[in-house]
Amino acid sequence: MASQTTRLRTATAVLCTALVGAAPVALAPAAHASPAAPAFAAAPPPASVRAPSPSPTPTPPTPDPFKGLSADEIAEKAVAATRSAHSLRMTGRVSSGGQPLDVDFRVSDKSECTGTIKLRHGAAELRRTGDLTYMKGDEAFWRASMTSQGMPPAQIDATIELLKGRWLKIAQGQPGTEDLGSVCDLKSLLADLGRNKEQRTGLVRGPDGEVRGTPVATLVKRKTTGAGAEQTTVSVSERGKPYILRTVRTGGADPGNVVLSEYDKPVRVVTPPPDQTVDLTKLDQGTPA
């Protein structure tokens, strides 16, 4: 389990230190069906006698909230705003050491989190509230995790059988679980975002766009690494606080594409019922908590 949570922590750090964002995603407005015509509607007049349709009123351009700022200065504002968030949702895929990791994760600065992670070998749900963390993995997840820790096959099989359909309950401070605390702490996750200022220099502003209907400024940085050419792009909200809304890294060793949303919304964590949990301290004894 420790190796899996370490991979999650590392992959999240990859996301944060990159200051990456999205190439703008223009979302077409949803089409609205026209109401049905009444049964006795009059036939339209011939085209020759119809009144000309009024010209559509042009939509005024949205004022640029970053007018006069360089791309690097916009990035500074984006980092400050994102680090000030009390909660957010992170969805998408990142990579760490060539290993893909799919995440759908809500986390707060009160050490609350709930979500799912999917690795090459298995998937798991993670919840944390107070000093307790709950993790529920599929067989592939647990088998890969326990194999990486050197557990003998017979013990792995017995443990997987015990955990089938149950949540592993982990109290704060238990040996081998140190990474879980930082995974569920928003401030810890975002600490890397502001640590390396060099990552936020040399950016170029691209064409503005939209991410899920929100207008964004697009910042791009290109560089060459040992793994080849790499491009990182960041989409910064032009509405309200300049939060980072989407991140994309292409090329290089650790590509990724992540959307950040639901800023400052409450994180609601459902605690699993006691009869569906197994206490980590009692795992070796084969008894549920």
Side-chain angles (χ1 to χ4, degrees):
M1 180 186 63
S3 64
Q4 304 287 40
T5 55
T6 299
R7 190 173 297 153
L8 173 59
R9 179 69 180 92
T10 304
T12 308
V14 168
L15 164 72
C16 291
T17 54
L19 181 59
V20 289
V25 179
L27 301 183
H32 297 283
S34 300
F40 302 102
S48 58
V49 297
R50 290 180 197 169
S53 300
S55 300
T57 303
T59 303
T62 303
D64 182 2
F66 304 122
K67 184 177 181 180
L69 298 180
S70 69
D72 291 355
E73 290 170 332
I74 297 172
E76 286 292 325
K77 285 183 171 291
V79 166
T82 302
R83 293 188 68 191
S84 74
H86 297 293
S87 64
L88 57 79
R89 181 182 184 185
M90 178 189 306
T91 56
R93 169 172 287 192
V94 293
S95 298
S96 175
Q99 297 293 320
L101 177 72
D102 294 317
V103 298
D104 185 349
F105 213 63
R106 292 175 174 87
V107 60
S108 79
D109 59 2
K110 297 179 181 178
S111 295
E112 301 166 321
C113 69
T114 181
T116 59
I117 56 175
K118 184 178 181 181
L119 301 101
R120 181 173 295 169
H121 301 292
E125 297 178 66
L126 184 67
R127 300 176 186 176
R128 180 181 175 89
T129 180
D131 293 333
L132 292 174
T133 301
Y134 299 88
M135 182 175 284
K136 184 179 183 181
D138 60 18
E139 180 176 342
F141 177 88
W142 289 126
R143 191 171 295 280
S145 179
M146 289 182 276
T147 298
S148 70
Q149 297 178 63
M151 291 177 62
Q155 185 180 0
I156 291 175
D157 291 340
T159 303
I160 288 176
E161 185 64 28
L162 179 63
L163 289 172
K164 190 176 294 184
R166 294 194 176 107
W167 295 80
L168 184 62
K169 182 172 72 174
I170 307 160
Q172 185 173 337
Q174 290 186 240
T177 65
E178 293 81 4
D179 287 318
L180 283 174
S182 58
V183 166
C184 290
D185 181 357
L186 181 62
K187 295 305 180 186
S188 176
L189 289 179
L190 296 181
D192 291 330
L193 191 62
R195 185 167 290 138
N196 189 350
K197 189 172 182 178
E198 183 182 348
Q199 295 282 350
R200 305 193 299 277
T201 59
L203 294 158
V204 176
R205 184 169 180 179
D208 289 358
E210 289 187 355
V211 173
R212 294 186 173 181
T214 300
V216 293
T218 303
L219 313 178
V220 181
K221 181 173 182 177
R222 299 178 179 88
K223 65 179 182 179
T224 301
T225 68
E230 178 180 291
Q231 177 172 305
T232 57
T233 314
V234 57
S235 290
V236 181
S237 176
E238 294 183 332
R239 181 182 297 160
K241 291 186 178 181
Y243 289 131
I244 297 172
L245 295 188
R246 189 179 175 192
T247 69
V248 171
R249 175 186 281 178
T250 57
D254 296 309
N257 186 331
V258 173
V259 172
L260 303 178
S261 62
E262 298 183 20
Y263 279 93
D264 294 329
K265 292 188 176 180
V267 175
R268 296 180 174 87
V269 182
V270 178
T271 302
D275 62 350
Q276 294 181 18
T277 67
V278 175
D279 195 311
L280 180 61
T281 61
K282 300 179 180 180
L283 195 58
D284 292 337
Q285 305 170 25
T287 57

